[in-house]
């Protein structure tokens, strides 16, 4: 199985300030079809997960442009340019390149 | 728009079999590239991928749970069913179903149900 790790596991941030989460996979996430199926999901308290970013850097429909994704191969980053109160929650990276699909442990983002 | 909703028992006893149904709308599971998967989340813990079924009836399972899981689809009813045998208290979790579109979509789980909490207890 591909193991996904995230750092930090907890990130207290100041409103209006940037935040960054790193995700690393135990092997390359480049699929044989040429795509890299690395996505980021947000889970607000009491809510189901919500897709933010897919294929490394593509924002899903309705996702604010303060969220951005980058990376390649085994190292990926989610950035929030200016944290807003509604961004509080847990963020997961997920790989869908190889079965079984796997998730990172989650990074909890809250307000200082 | 795409919606999914999980249904099933909220409480099961140890050793019993759990049957969950995902009823969806806004897409067809007969469309090439489309899949529906199941993911669970124990209280306060991370997400765990369980199973996925594709439009062509290709089925994939978590290796650690494969012997206990069965995923099926009823295209005419717009439903996907997950069964898990020999339930144990460690299987207590919120179970989610989610949509995946491989060819023309995100390639990720882009639409999720609200989830259903299943408690395993005698």
């Amino acid at each position: 199985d591909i193991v996904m790790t995230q750092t930090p596991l907890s990130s207290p941030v100041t409103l209006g300030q940037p935040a960054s989460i790193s995700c690393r996979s135990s092997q390359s996430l480049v699929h044989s079809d040429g795509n890299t199926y690395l996505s980021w999901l947000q889970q607000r308290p009491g809510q189901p997960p919500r897709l933010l970013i897919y294929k490394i850097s593509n924002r899903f429909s309705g996702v604010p442009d303060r969220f951005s994704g980058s990376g390649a191969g085994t190292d990926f980053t989610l950035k929030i340019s200016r944290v807003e109160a509604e961004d509080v929650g847990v963020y997961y990276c997920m790989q869908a390149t190889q079965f079984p699909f796997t998730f990172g442990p989650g990074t909890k983002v809250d307000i200082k | 728009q795409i919606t999914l909703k999980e249904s099933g028992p909220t409480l099961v006893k140890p050793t019993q079999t759990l049957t969950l149904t995902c009823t969806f709308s806004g897409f067809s599971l007969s469309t090439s590239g489309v899949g529906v998967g199941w993911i669970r989340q124990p209280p306060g813990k991370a997400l765990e991928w369980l199973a996925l079924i594709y439009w062509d009836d290709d089925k994939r399972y978590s290796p650690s749970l494969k012997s206990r899981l069965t995923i099926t689809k009823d295209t005419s009813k717009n439903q996907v069913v997950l069964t898990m045998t020999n339930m144990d208290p460690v299987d207590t979790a919120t179970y989610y179903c989610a949509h995946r579109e491989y060819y023309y979509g995100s390639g990720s789980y882009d639409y999720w149900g609200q989830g259903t909490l299943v408690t395993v207890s005698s």
Side-chain angles (χ1 to χ4, degrees):
Chain A
D1 298 6
I2 296 177
V3 177
M4 307 296 289
T5 55
Q6 291 179 230
T7 55
L9 297 182
S10 179
S11 180
V13 296
T14 302
L15 287 174
Q17 292 301 302
S20 179
I21 303 169
S22 294
C23 173
R24 178 167 289 178
S25 57
S26 60
Q27 55 189 274
S28 173
L29 297 186
V30 180
H31 193 276
S32 57
D33 67 9
N35 290 304
T36 299
Y37 292 101
L38 183 284
S39 52
W40 291 94
L41 301 108
Q42 175 197 61
Q43 189 173 31
R44 291 170 172 153
Q47 295 295 312
R50 167 198 179 199
L51 179 65
L52 294 178
I53 303 286
Y54 64 94
K55 294 179 192 175
I56 302 177
S57 60
N58 296 275
R59 270 188 304 277
F60 189 59
S61 174
V63 174
D65 61 8
R66 64 179 182 274
F67 291 94
S68 64
S70 62
T74 61
D75 287 283
F76 307 93
T77 303
L78 174 71
K79 291 183 179 178
I80 309 174
S81 59
R82 294 173 305 279
V83 172
E84 298 189 4
E86 66 179 19
D87 300 336
V88 165
V90 180
Y91 291 77
Y92 295 94
C93 59
M94 173 196 156
Q95 69 82 17
T97 291
Q98 180 183 116
F99 288 106
F101 295 170
T102 45
F103 296 88
T107 295
K108 186 175 182 180
V109 172
D110 57 11
I111 306 301
K112 280 183 184 175
Chain B
Q1 80 277 24
I2 290 175
T3 64
L4 304 98
K5 186 174 183 179
E6 306 87 352
S7 59
T10 57
L11 179 66
V12 297
K13 290 180 167 50
T15 75
Q16 286 187 336
T17 293
L18 171 69
T19 299
L20 294 173
T21 300
C22 176
T23 302
F24 57 84
S25 64
F27 66 95
S28 172
L29 241 188
S30 59
T31 300
S32 183
V34 173
V36 172
W38 288 92
I39 303 97
R40 71 178 179 180
Q41 185 174 38
K45 296 189 176 181
L47 300 164
E48 179 184 14
W49 184 81
L50 299 177
L52 173 63
I53 189 166
Y54 281 116
W55 81 101
D56 59 357
D57 212 37
D58 183 17
K59 302 169 186 177
R60 305 293 178 130
Y61 296 100
S62 166
S64 62
L65 294 167
K66 186 174 183 177
S67 64
R68 299 174 53 206
L69 294 175
T70 303
I71 190 169
T72 60
K73 63 180 174 70
D74 186 328
T75 305
S76 64
K77 291 183 178 179
N78 282 352
Q79 290 182 332
V80 170
V81 175
L82 181 76
T83 60
M84 181 179 291
T85 61
N86 195 23
M87 293 292 284
D88 183 273
V90 300
D91 297 313
T92 294
T94 296
Y95 288 75
Y96 297 100
C97 63
H99 166 274
R100 184 190 194 220
E101 189 161 349
Y102 175 64
Y103 288 148
Y104 306 111
S106 69
S108 184
Y109 287 121
D110 45 18
Y111 295 94
W112 293 65
Q114 285 295 310
T116 185
L117 175 62
V118 178
T119 301
V120 184
S121 175
S122 54

